């Protein structure tokens, strides 16, 4: 029932206009499982390898024709006739075919598109919703969304050093309600920006990208937008940051050019503590750089009891790095990006290992993304407490929120929106 008849790869275009890999698995019973993969801009050094052609005459070197050739050649040869029922077996075959530690021969983009297509094909053949197929134990938790309403860093051409300023509607009653609240704050923020003479153009993840001078300026606008939408900042809606600190860390100094600050790791901890004392911030991602373990331990000691501290570039969805982080008492939360590690099975391993060790998990999109909604099903299926998939504009972002609305509807009374309980270990 779950036997692969054919494998077809094609080059499609992502939300930044760059090529990406899409794979169709055609099954013996006529079902088709399709998947396409995202791509980051502020990528971590320790992520699995993304294969690009490098031919400057073709999409400025960003083409993925070689990846597609691997799908339609070696991968097709290895997978036709295989049963997709065991995700682990499929992923093992793909990893063995690649033969490298970081998927640098076939590319993590090539492998992940195939791996997700296998999961989707199996769920379709089994007539199960994808989230249910991915479930280990039935849990119908719906995640709190972290919505990136102001974009900075590598995702916008303004001076904000912090890459993402997110609203967290943890006072909502349901997924649909959380999304509605996010939309309403997004409209208010647009009005406020317009009235104050700022641009309302959006960045890569659909948040506004005004030319602001500091993190405080962005957070003040967010407080105003929340309150003028009729919500209470710190009660109905809290805030989250992604500092993407690796981007401005050099020679043990955090160089916040936009704010004209050069901070030691101790000063960076103080900078973040001050923001947490002034604003209702419940989560900080990559507050320290990917190789500054000492800084991470320091930050976790200072803020770990009151704020969710999320490792993105630090952990790169990699079991080994998460393990190191636990030993060094770094962070208390893990960002989950399937394309950082490159297969569905290894993503699930990272999630379950983190959950067993009481680290919260946030499933995440990438700044370059497609209409694929795998991460929404992954998040619900694995009971991860939060999802981060951009702002309330740009359809590649909304596709994921819309899928969560559909999942909530399908679950009916069984749906359990986590709300504030997602942050019960922290100060909220
Ligand atoms: P990226 O950004 O996809 O450009 O890496 C997202 C993030 O840093 O969380
Ligand atoms: Zn990040």
């Amino acid at each position: 029932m779950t036997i692969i008849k054919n494998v077809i790869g094609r080059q499609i275009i992502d939300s930044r206009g760059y090529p990406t890999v899409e794979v169709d698995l055609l099954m013996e019973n006529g079902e088709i499982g399709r998947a396409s993969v995202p791509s980051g801009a502020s990528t971590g050094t320790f992520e699995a390898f993304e294969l690009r052609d490098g031919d400057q005459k073709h999409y400025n070197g960003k083409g993925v024709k070689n990846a597609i050739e691997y799908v339609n050649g070696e991968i097709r040869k290895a997978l036709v006739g295989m049963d997709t029922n065991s995700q682990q077996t499929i992923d093992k075959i793909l990893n063995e075919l690649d033969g490298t530690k970081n998927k640098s021969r076939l590319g993590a983009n090539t492998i992940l598109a195939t791996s997700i297509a296998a999961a989707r094909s199996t769920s379709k053949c089994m007539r199960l919703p994808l989230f249910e197929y991915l479930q280990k134990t039935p849990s119908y938790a719906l995640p709190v969304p972290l919505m990136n309403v102001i974009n900075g860093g590598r995702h916008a051409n303004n001076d904000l050093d912090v890459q993402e300023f997110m609203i967290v509607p943890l006072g909502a009653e349901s997924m649909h309600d959380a999304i509605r609240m996010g939309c309403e704050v997004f409209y208010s923020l647009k009005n406020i920006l317009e009235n104050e003479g700022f641009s309302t153009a959006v960045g890569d993840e659909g948040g506004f990208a005004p030319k602001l001078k500091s993190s405080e300026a962005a957070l003040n606008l967010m407080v105003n937008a929340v309150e003028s939408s009729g919500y209470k900042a710190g009660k109905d809606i809290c805030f989250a940051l992604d500092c993407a600190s690796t981007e401005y860390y050099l020679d043990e100094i955090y160089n916040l050019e936009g704010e004209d600050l050069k901070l030691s790791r101790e000063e960076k901890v103080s900078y973040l503590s001050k923001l947490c004392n002034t604003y209702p911030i419940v989560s900080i991602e990559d507050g320290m750089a990917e190789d500054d373990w000492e800084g991470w331990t320091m930050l976790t000691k200072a803020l770990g009891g009151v704020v969710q501290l999320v490792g993105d570039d630090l952990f790169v969805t990699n079991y080994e790095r998460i393990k190191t982080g636990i030993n060094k008492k770094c962070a208390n939360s893990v960002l989950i990006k399937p394309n950082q590690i490159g297969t569905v099975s290894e993503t699930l391993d990272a999630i379950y290992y983190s959950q067993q060790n009481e680290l919260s998990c946030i499933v995440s999109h990438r700044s370059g993304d497609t209409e694929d909604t795998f991460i929404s099903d992954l998040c619900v299926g694995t009971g991860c407490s939060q999802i981060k998939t951009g702002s309330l504009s740009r359809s590649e972002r909304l596709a994921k929120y819309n899928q969560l609305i559909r999942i909530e509807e399908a679950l009916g009374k069984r749906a359990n929106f986590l709300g504030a309980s997602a942050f019960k270990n922290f100060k909220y």
Side-chain angles (χ1 to χ4, degrees):
M1 194 176 129
T2 46
I3 304 295
I4 301 172
K5 191 173 170 199
N6 202 359
V7 182
I8 297 169
R10 68 178 68 83
Q11 181 167 270
I12 63 163
I13 309 301
D14 76 10
S15 60
R16 275 196 278 252
Y18 295 150
T20 190
V21 182
E22 180 168 272
V23 171
D24 284 358
L25 289 192
L26 278 51
M27 308 301 281
E28 287 281 3
N29 70 354
E31 290 290 358
I32 300 177
R34 171 171 297 165
S36 59
V37 290
S39 174
S42 61
T43 45
T45 312
F46 307 102
E47 294 191 18
F49 185 80
E50 182 182 72
L51 187 68
R52 300 254 176 213
D53 299 335
D55 171 2
Q56 292 302 326
K57 291 199 215 73
H58 186 79
Y59 292 104
N60 293 358
K62 296 271 186 193
V64 291
K65 281 199 299 197
N66 292 331
I68 302 309
E69 267 173 37
Y70 284 134
V71 174
N72 292 333
E74 287 185 43
I75 293 179
R76 174 186 287 159
K77 209 163 151 215
L79 292 189
V80 167
M82 290 296 303
D83 191 336
T84 56
N85 203 2
S86 163
Q87 184 71 39
Q88 273 187 342
T89 308
I90 295 291
D91 291 342
K92 192 161 171 270
I93 292 172
L94 291 168
N95 277 334
E96 281 173 2
L97 204 57
D98 174 74
T100 70
K101 202 163 176 335
N102 67 343
K103 302 181 174 62
S104 59
R105 194 175 77 80
L106 299 177
N109 43 348
T110 321
I111 292 174
L112 182 66
T114 313
S115 177
I116 296 177
R120 197 166 268 137
S121 307
T122 317
S123 77
K124 280 179 138 186
C125 292
M126 293 169 85
R127 305 274 179 270
L128 280 175
L130 184 53
F131 72 89
E132 219 170 301
Y133 166 66
L134 294 168
Q135 260 174 0
K136 229 180 176 180
T137 48
S139 121
Y140 298 108
L142 281 156
V144 176
L146 312 188
M147 299 154 146
N148 178 10
V149 292
I150 297 185
N151 293 187
R154 288 280 279 264
H155 298 166
N157 70 340
N158 56 19
D159 290 335
L160 289 172
D161 301 294
V162 169
Q163 181 177 277
E164 300 172 20
F165 294 85
M166 295 169 273
I167 51 171
V168 186
L170 43 63
E173 281 171 8
S174 63
M175 190 76 232
H176 206 146
D177 200 35
I179 292 167
R180 176 185 57 76
M181 288 165 75
C183 290
E184 290 168 3
V185 173
F186 187 69
Y187 312 149
S188 296
L189 185 55
K190 185 171 187 181
N191 280 336
I192 293 169
L193 288 170
E194 252 165 24
N195 291 339
E196 297 194 11
F198 287 110
S199 159
T200 55
V202 297
D204 285 1
E205 297 189 345
F208 298 113
K211 296 215 180 297
L212 299 170
K213 286 269 164 271
S214 66
S215 299
E216 273 100 343
L219 289 159
N220 287 338
L221 286 171
M222 286 161 66
V223 172
N224 288 344
V226 167
E227 307 268 321
S228 65
S229 306
Y231 299 113
K232 196 139 181 37
K235 182 168 181 286
D236 308 311
I237 296 181
C238 289
F239 299 153
L241 303 177
D242 179 2
C243 299
S245 295
T246 308
E247 298 295 322
Y248 46 81
Y249 181 65
L250 193 66
D251 298 333
E252 308 209 357
I253 291 293
Y254 291 93
N255 192 352
L256 280 72
E257 268 180 33
E259 300 197 35
D260 201 15
L261 292 173
K262 289 191 193 319
L263 307 177
S264 66
R265 55 172 71 94
E266 289 83 357
E267 289 165 336
K268 184 78 191 298
V269 173
S270 307
Y271 171 91
L272 293 174
S273 302
K274 189 166 162 237
L275 288 182
C276 290
N277 287 333
T278 319
Y279 301 95
I281 293 170
V282 289
S283 179
I284 300 176
E285 182 182 327
D286 282 353
M288 294 289 166
E290 64 189 4
D291 48 358
D292 184 13
W293 293 101
E294 203 182 325
W296 269 101
T297 306
M298 213 178 266
L299 178 69
T300 309
K301 203 162 166 216
L303 288 178
V306 288
V307 177
Q308 177 174 263
L309 299 172
V310 190
D312 170 14
D313 291 350
L314 179 71
F315 293 141
V316 291
T317 317
N318 183 319
Y319 162 84
E320 294 293 340
R321 288 190 64 91
I322 299 168
K323 200 164 149 193
T324 307
I326 292 170
N327 288 336
K328 291 183 185 284
K329 295 194 173 27
C330 292
N332 53 29
S333 179
V334 182
L335 201 77
I336 300 292
K337 288 170 165 170
N339 82 326
Q340 284 180 326
I341 191 73
T343 60
V344 172
S345 306
E346 288 161 288
T347 305
L348 294 174
D349 289 347
I351 294 174
Y352 294 132
Y353 180 71
S354 305
Q355 289 174 336
Q356 274 161 16
N357 285 283
E358 291 181 11
L359 300 171
S360 61
C361 290
I362 306 168
V363 177
S364 172
H365 65 159
R366 299 305 305 246
S367 53
D369 217 301
T370 74
E371 60 274 29
D372 193 295
T373 59
F374 174 73
I375 60 164
S376 305
D377 284 82
L378 174 70
C379 192
V380 177
T382 53
C384 290
S385 63
Q386 295 148 67
I387 191 164
K388 170 177 117 155
T389 184
S391 184
L392 289 311
S393 80
R394 299 187 61 134
S395 284
E396 77 281 3
R397 314 294 148 190
L398 274 309
K400 279 75 163 171
Y401 293 128
N402 290 340
Q403 176 69 355
L404 289 165
I405 290 175
R406 290 182 205 109
I407 293 175
E408 183 171 64
E409 181 189 276
L411 287 174
K413 286 205 169 62
R414 290 174 299 166
N416 170 28
F417 178 69
L418 290 174
S421 72
F423 298 90
K424 64 179 184 301
N425 294 337
F426 312 109
K427 87 176 161 189
Y428 176 78

